[in-house]
Amino acid sequence: MIRILFFLLVVFLLGLGFAWLADRPGDMVVTLSGYQYRVSLMVAAVAVVTVVAAVMILWWLLKAIWTSPYTVARYFRVRRRDRGYQALSTGMIAAGAGDFDLARRKNREAMKLIRSDQEPLIQLLDAQVSLLEGRHDEARQKFEAMAEDPEMKLLGLRGLYLEAERLGDREAARHYAARAAEAAPQLGWAADSTIEQRIAEGDWDGALKILDAQKSTHQVDRELAARRRSVLLTAKANALFDTNFAIAKAAALEANRLRPDFVPAALVAARALFRESDLRKGAKVLEAAWKATPHPGLADLYVHARHGDSVNDRLVRAKKLQSLRQNNAESALAVARAALDAGDYSLAREQAESAIRMQPREGAWLLLADTEEAETGDVGKVREYLAKAVRAPRDPAWVADGYESDRWAPVSPVTGRLDAFEWRVPVERLGALIEADRERAQIEEAPALAAPLPVAPAEPAAAPAPSMPAPVVAASSPAPRKPEPHLPAAFSASSEPVVNGVVAAESKDSVVPPSPQAGLVEALDGAGQEQSSEAATQDRRTPPAAEITVPMPPDDPGVDPLETVKARRRFGLF
């Protein structure tokens, strides 16, 4: 647009000049070799302009003829370069899509049309093709060559870093990331890996320095930077707590200031304050963290803040902590532990049962078992609570990338990721819990599904023992079937097996459930019964048609009722 305006301005000025000459008539006389040439001023101006234009055109023609070889060569060179860039672009797209055949062909075409020293992307495409074809050694050599080139140094280091990650060589990966971070601190992947390396080496100040560089280059937002800084400061305080207490205390207090609800920071800050006998400030730190995230570590440190306190004083402190977060399972458990230590078993039992109602989990049942053992010593009740604890959901723990730990750590031991640990319930027992629930549901539904069985007249049997409850009858499928080939001889059609209190009875027309004492007699003296009933049972070749389950006495809760189901499955009874 500016050029058009400039051209119009020039034309306008020329027009003004010729108009000015036309308004002022005059003659121009030129004497040459005794001859005088007289022309008007307008004709002279036109002649001068024509001569100048002719000279310019002649000069342009001569220049075009003189530079024609270079122009022709440049045309073909530009055309060749355009074809090379087109092949390079197609090859990069093919490499990204995983089409190594097309990428290899386009790479060869691009290398023929464009010199690799003129276009660094050809080297990248060549390395990508090597990776697609599985020639990783050649790819690493090409990345190493890129790392020596100042223009492609970061690209080569990135390729070497990814290859080291693929091979699982974390040390080599961190080495390449550190070199890249020195050259370009704004690279996120290099900075994160370098921070992990500094943490592994215990160089907390170096990790904090890199984090500050990330924050200054706006790689991470302010909230994320504060979170990571609090993690690093907490790890630094834990590492230097016994060797350099002054630095550890400063780091712990700064970490707690950045994130008051961060449990590890609150714990190390409170420990530092308690060490200097600043109980009031340390208690405030723990109370603030407890209101945000109830944690058993916070409760334990809060209750045992003063070493000279009696058990009753600790119980009072636990109740105060419970008042800050009411209707919470962790608060109830804290009071229950303190009450158990103080000997107030009724309060401990009440709080443990309250925690179970709010959140039934393993630790609550174990605490209830400890209370029962300390108060009554009832082994049966203790075993019952322990059995429930085994089947209850797990207590929360520090979990990172599937790894469970009792203590917090700044990075994940699996992936090395910063701030990976979370306080939550592990999920590795999810499948076991589902299977236990399914088996428990089968046991609960068994009496409801049991069909009434016809009773035939039988010989009178002795009265059942007083300690043995009435039997539970579970009907199985009436369809006849052949014995399983893997069953032992004791489980053939002509026998009455007894496994974990299960007696199999059968008959052609009806099923007679024997009395409990008769079942016990058959279990203890099966040989005599087999001889006496051998003639009557010679023609029976069908499997048991009913199973009579005799449960264990209720005062022995240590026996798992699932064992009966598992035993029947193991022997192929259903």
Side-chain angles (χ1 to χ4, degrees):
M1 184 67 182
I2 297 178
R3 292 182 179 181
I4 295 176
L5 293 177
F6 180 76
F7 176 76
L8 294 177
L9 179 60
V10 171
V11 173
F12 178 72
L13 292 177
L14 290 176
L16 287 180
F18 281 107
W20 183 79
L21 290 177
D23 293 340
R24 289 166 178 76
D27 297 332
M28 187 177 79
V29 179
V30 178
T31 303
L32 181 61
S33 301
Y35 293 96
Q36 288 186 350
Y37 300 95
R38 181 183 298 270
V39 294
S40 63
L41 188 58
M42 177 60 70
V43 174
V46 172
V48 170
V49 172
T50 303
V51 171
V52 171
V55 170
M56 292 179 62
I57 293 174
L58 181 60
W59 174 255
W60 178 77
L61 290 175
L62 293 176
K63 184 180 179 180
I65 296 173
W66 181 262
T67 59
S68 57
Y70 172 77
T71 304
V72 173
R74 183 174 178 273
Y75 168 77
F76 285 107
R77 185 169 63 252
V78 171
R79 186 169 177 269
R80 179 186 181 90
R81 185 187 62 184
D82 293 342
R83 290 171 53 200
Y85 276 112
Q86 182 63 36
L88 179 60
S89 176
T90 306
M92 294 295 293
I93 295 174
D99 189 355
F100 66 90
D101 186 20
L102 179 60
R104 181 176 60 251
R105 288 190 286 105
K106 292 300 179 180
N107 179 48
R108 294 175 181 175
E109 182 180 351
M111 293 182 67
K112 293 179 180 179
L113 298 175
I114 307 176
R115 294 172 55 184
S116 60
D117 55 348
Q118 295 179 352
E119 182 51 59
L121 288 179
I122 295 180
Q123 302 181 30
L124 175 61
L125 179 58
D126 192 15
Q128 292 292 332
V129 171
S130 300
L131 290 176
L132 290 175
E133 293 179 349
R135 296 181 282 110
H136 294 279
D137 294 337
E138 296 183 9
R140 283 194 296 271
Q141 295 177 0
K142 294 171 183 177
F143 283 127
E144 290 176 357
M146 295 181 193
E148 300 299 329
D149 187 0
E151 186 179 2
M152 303 189 66
K153 180 178 181 180
L154 299 178
L155 182 59
L157 292 175
R158 173 67 172 173
L160 293 173
Y161 170 80
L162 294 178
E163 280 297 295
E165 286 285 339
R166 184 187 62 83
L167 296 175
D169 192 349
R170 186 173 297 179
E171 295 297 329
R174 290 176 176 175
H175 169 71
Y176 295 128
R179 290 179 56 186
E182 293 176 359
Q186 71 276 6
L187 296 177
W189 63 271
D192 293 341
S193 181
T194 306
I195 289 176
E196 296 174 5
Q197 182 181 5
R198 297 290 187 269
I199 293 174
E201 297 173 353
D203 186 5
W204 309 108
D205 294 333
L208 290 171
K209 183 178 179 181
I210 297 176
L211 182 61
D212 293 338
Q214 282 186 310
K215 183 179 178 181
S216 62
T217 55
H218 302 286
Q219 288 185 351
V220 294
D221 55 8
R222 182 176 302 178
E223 183 179 356
L224 181 58
R227 181 182 181 90
R228 292 183 175 181
R229 184 173 181 83
S230 65
V231 171
L232 294 176
L233 290 173
T234 303
K236 179 180 178 181
N238 287 327
L240 303 179
F241 194 86
D242 297 329
T243 58
N244 197 334
F245 177 74
I247 297 178
K249 178 185 176 182
L253 293 179
E254 183 181 357
N256 182 254
R257 179 182 58 82
L258 292 173
R259 291 177 63 191
D261 59 340
F262 188 39
V263 174
L267 288 174
V268 68
R271 286 173 53 205
L273 293 172
F274 290 159
R275 184 171 178 177
E276 293 186 343
S277 300
D278 193 352
L279 299 180
R280 184 180 60 84
K281 190 174 181 180
K284 287 185 178 180
V285 169
L286 293 177
E287 290 173 358
W290 179 265
K291 292 179 182 179
T293 307
H295 188 277
L298 297 174
D300 183 69
L301 185 59
Y302 187 84
V303 171
H304 298 83
R306 187 184 290 108
H307 297 288
D309 287 349
S310 63
V311 289
N312 293 326
D313 294 335
R314 294 174 183 173
L315 179 58
V316 171
R317 294 180 66 85
K319 291 181 179 179
K320 180 182 179 182
L321 199 63
Q322 186 184 27
S323 65
L324 300 178
R325 281 297 298 266
Q326 298 180 359
N327 299 325
N328 183 269
E330 206 63 58
S331 299
L333 290 177
V335 176
R337 295 189 190 97
L340 179 61
D341 294 338
D344 191 350
Y345 301 120
S346 60
L347 179 60
R349 183 187 301 276
E350 176 185 354
Q351 294 297 325
E353 292 176 350
S354 176
I356 291 174
R357 286 193 299 270
M358 288 183 288
Q359 188 179 358
R361 66 190 195 196
E362 182 181 7
W365 288 110
L366 292 177
L367 184 58
L368 193 59
D370 293 339
T371 305
E372 186 68 32
E373 183 179 8
E375 182 180 9
T376 64
D378 189 348
V379 179
K381 283 289 185 180
V382 172
R383 294 178 63 185
E384 178 183 358
Y385 294 147
L386 293 178
K388 292 181 179 180
V390 172
R391 291 166 178 79
R394 296 283 301 275
D395 289 334
W398 291 110
V399 181
D401 299 323
Y403 177 83
E404 178 184 351
S405 175
D406 296 333
R407 300 182 61 183
W408 174 84
V411 295
S412 170
V414 180
T415 60
R417 182 166 53 92
L418 180 65
D419 192 19
F421 275 95
E422 299 178 356
W423 180 255
R424 58 180 177 84
V425 178
V427 296
E428 61 267 15
R429 288 183 56 192
L430 182 60
L433 292 174
I434 295 175
E435 182 65 24
D437 292 340
R438 185 182 295 111
E439 294 181 354
R440 189 179 298 107
Q442 292 177 356
I443 294 177
E444 293 176 354
E445 294 176 0
L449 298 178
L453 301 176
V455 179
E459 296 182 1
S467 60
M468 182 63 66
V472 179
V473 180
S476 62
S477 176
R481 60 179 181 180
K482 295 181 179 181
E484 296 293 336
H486 63 278
L487 296 179
F491 291 93
S492 61
S494 61
S495 63
E496 296 178 0
V498 180
V499 179
N500 290 339
V502 179
V503 182
E506 57 190 20
S507 177
K508 282 186 177 181
D509 300 327
S510 64
V511 177
V512 181
S515 64
Q517 186 171 357
L520 293 177
V521 171
E522 290 176 359
L524 297 176
D525 196 13
Q529 295 290 338
E530 290 178 0
Q531 292 177 359
S532 61
S533 60
E534 181 176 3
T537 60
Q538 184 175 3
D539 296 331
R540 293 181 296 173
R541 293 296 182 266
T542 59
E547 296 177 352
I548 302 176
T549 303
V550 181
M552 300 301 295
D555 59 350
D556 189 8
V559 178
D560 190 356
L562 299 180
E563 293 297 328
T564 302
V565 179
K566 294 180 180 179
R568 289 184 293 178
R569 288 183 175 180
R570 182 164 59 252
F571 291 102
L573 296 181
F574 77 98

